[in-house]
Amino acid sequence: MSDGSSTETLVAILRAEIAALTPGDRLPSSRDLIARHGVGPVTVSRAIALLAAEGVVVTRPGSGTYVAARRTPRGDTAPDTSWQAVALAGRDHDPGADRGAESAVADGASEPLPAGTITLSGGYLHENLQPTRALGAALARAARRPDAWHRAPAAGLAPLRAILARQAGSGVGPEDVLVTGGGQGALSLLFRAVSAPGSPVLVESPTYAGALAAARAAGLRPVPVPIDDDGVRPDLLADAFAMTGARLFYCQPTFHNPTGTVLATERRHQVVDVARAAGAFLIEDDFARHLGHGRPVPRPLVADDRDGTVVHLTSLTKPASPSLRIGALIARGPVMRRLQGMRLVDDFFIARPLQEAAVELLSTPAWDRHLRALATALRERCTVLADALARELPDWTLARSPAGGLHLWLRLPPTLTDTAVAEAARAHGVSVNAGRRHFPAEAPAAHLRLGFAAAADPADLATAARRLATAAHTLAPSG
């Protein structure tokens, strides 16, 4: 009998025997099969390999061969992924991780919205506010470059790094810039690079929900530091460093998300000094530098930092398009070398055509024209929504009329919860962000974050306010 026919015969015998066994039962050893069926070791190995390829058995080196779980026809029953509980054992699970996963989509579309829904959620510009014509032209010019598809340097294209360095301030050079795939990826990279899993990271409270998600995904423990109308309080920040031993503080000094706060001038140096005294890094998320409403924007903290305390983060996705996944980290000293090393491990480099397109876009007068028009449009939309809310929902408290950014931050009356309002609003054709996602710990009160840049037209914002009022009235206590 040939080896092939012996193998087929043994496979048929074993398949019949396995049918009478239970998943998890152990098959006889190879030595027993050789003796029982009068075949050679090669035949046994081939038979077991074929059965394993079919999913009939599972081999465990050093242990033996076992009957696999029964397969059912596709669609007859729900997939059984219970095995993953064992495979993932040993990976610590943060009780806040599920909440963090939801937070990760707080500035994007987590799921399709029903037709006719007015979008006050998310954190990107509507298509009619994006410089689509300039983006298309920049991408077309970039694609025609003879080296457009060559490998890009790990740190990013030199012209793009030079442009981003100039935007950050006179004290920053191209050698301090690492081009990243947008702001969220940069946050993830930073949290993994700077702090070990289990370490505390200080954050403003409230803060950007995506930062909380990235910190938790890196195994860090977000610790809240309250803010007031002038931003984070330096005295409370110093106390938090002293109590936790943290070596990292994440903040948004300019047009804070979600509150719109700008860190006061007298506090900007103080906050950096507190971090430096604690031997800690300060992550300056400067996502909204190009989202001002027409007033002068304060200098970035990194522009006046010479000791490498500040690690600066910026991005083009907010003022341009969600798909222009170009951002940058600005850092000095060993931390930059660590970030560059992690870049080589993670993804080597950012796609060159996208970087070339960013250079083209930022180098043309069309970019400056876009930013001026965008400032006017955002100021108008902010005013329309704030006025409509004051008219329709006078008992909702607006934290401030922001001078930049994409959101309004409202405190709800004590009788309402943010999640209930968000659900009712959706049922009435408005999507909003529940405020609790923005707090690293318990929220002191119920809030909503309402965006004014994702709606198709300013008139939709007034309509959204009326729908919100109707939704709130359905939740009002009776009697």
Side-chain angles (χ1 to χ4, degrees), residues 270-292:
Q270 294 175 19
V271 167
V272 176
D273 289 343
V274 168
R276 183 180 296 114
F281 289 102
L282 184 155
I283 298 178
E284 177 188 23
D285 189 343
D286 203 28
F287 77 99
R289 176 145 303 272
H290 300 303
L291 300 177

Side-chain angles (χ1 to χ4, degrees), residues 4 49 154 170 185 213 235 258 264 306-307 346 366 373 381-382 412:
S170 57
D235 58 334
R306 294 293 179 271
D307 302 320
D346 283 356
R381 285 165 171 259
C382 180
L412 301 179

Side-chain angles (χ1 to χ4, degrees), residues 36-382:
R36 183 185 304 178
H37 299 287
V39 295
V42 173
T43 299
V44 171
S45 296
R46 288 176 177 173
I48 295 298
L50 287 171
L51 291 171
E54 294 174 5
V56 177
V57 299
V58 176
T59 59
R60 298 173 185 169
S63 176
T65 303
Y66 296 82
V67 179
R70 308 295 189 200
R71 288 188 175 184
T72 56
R74 188 179 299 274
D76 286 0
T77 185
D80 181 8
T81 59
S82 57
W83 65 271
Q84 294 186 5
V86 177
L88 292 172
R91 168 61 178 173
D92 291 338
H93 180 67
D94 180 356
D98 291 337
R99 178 181 62 202
E102 294 176 358
S103 302
V105 296
D107 275 354
S110 58
E111 57 185 27
L113 296 172
T117 300
I118 299 175
T119 303
L120 301 186
S121 57
Y124 294 115
L125 303 177
H126 189 272
E127 288 85 346
N128 61 27
L129 293 179
Q130 298 173 19
T132 52
R133 183 173 298 180
L135 281 166
L139 191 59
R141 291 193 300 271
R144 290 196 295 268
R145 294 188 175 187
D147 56 353
W149 294 99
H150 290 184
R151 174 172 176 156
L157 297 182
L160 181 56
R161 295 165 69 196
I163 293 172
L164 296 171
R166 286 197 300 272
Q167 291 180 353
S170 57
V172 178
E175 68 280 1
D176 301 323
V177 178
L178 174 68
V179 177
T180 65
Q184 192 66 28
L187 266 179
S188 176
L189 180 68
L190 263 177
F191 285 142
R192 290 183 291 116
V194 175
S195 291
S199 301
V201 52
L202 306 186
V203 299
E204 296 158 314
S205 183
T207 190
Y208 168 46
L212 295 177
R216 290 180 176 126
L220 307 185
R221 295 184 293 106
V223 177
V225 182
I227 64 173
D228 58 22
D229 289 341
D230 291 324
V232 68
R233 287 176 48 181
D235 58 334
L236 294 181
L237 180 62
D239 290 344
F241 274 124
M243 288 188 295
T244 64
R247 292 295 178 264
L248 187 62
F249 172 49
Y250 168 82
C251 65
Q252 304 165 92
T254 305
F255 309 136
H256 173 270
N257 176 7
T259 68
T261 304
V262 176
L263 186 60
T265 301
E266 62 274 13
R267 291 188 181 181
R268 299 178 83 85
H269 288 292
Q270 294 175 19
V271 167
V272 176
D273 289 343
V274 168
R276 183 180 296 114
F281 289 102
L282 184 155
I283 298 178
E284 177 188 23
D285 189 343
D286 203 28
F287 77 99
R289 176 145 303 272
H290 300 303
L291 300 177
H293 297 177
R295 300 178 187 174
V297 180
R299 282 165 57 88
L301 301 183
V302 73
D304 299 311
D305 172 53
R306 294 293 179 271
D307 302 320
T309 298
V310 178
V311 180
H312 180 89
L313 188 159
T314 187
S315 173
L316 297 179
T317 59
K318 299 294 187 183
S321 165
S323 287
L324 186 60
R325 305 303 300 173
I326 294 292
L329 290 171
I330 296 175
R332 300 181 178 91
V335 69
M336 172 56 86
R337 292 190 287 276
R338 177 174 294 188
L339 291 168
Q340 290 172 340
M342 293 184 67
R343 149 60 47 74
L344 293 173
V345 172
D346 283 356
D347 53 12
F348 294 118
F349 56 88
I350 303 302
R352 183 166 190 141
L354 207 56
Q355 292 192 62
E356 297 280 12
V359 172
E360 291 285 350
L361 178 68
L362 299 178
S363 301
T364 64
W367 178 244
D368 290 332
R369 289 196 299 269
H370 163 66
L371 293 182
R372 288 194 297 270
L374 180 60
T376 300
L378 293 179
R379 183 172 64 248
E380 176 192 0
R381 285 165 171 259
C382 180

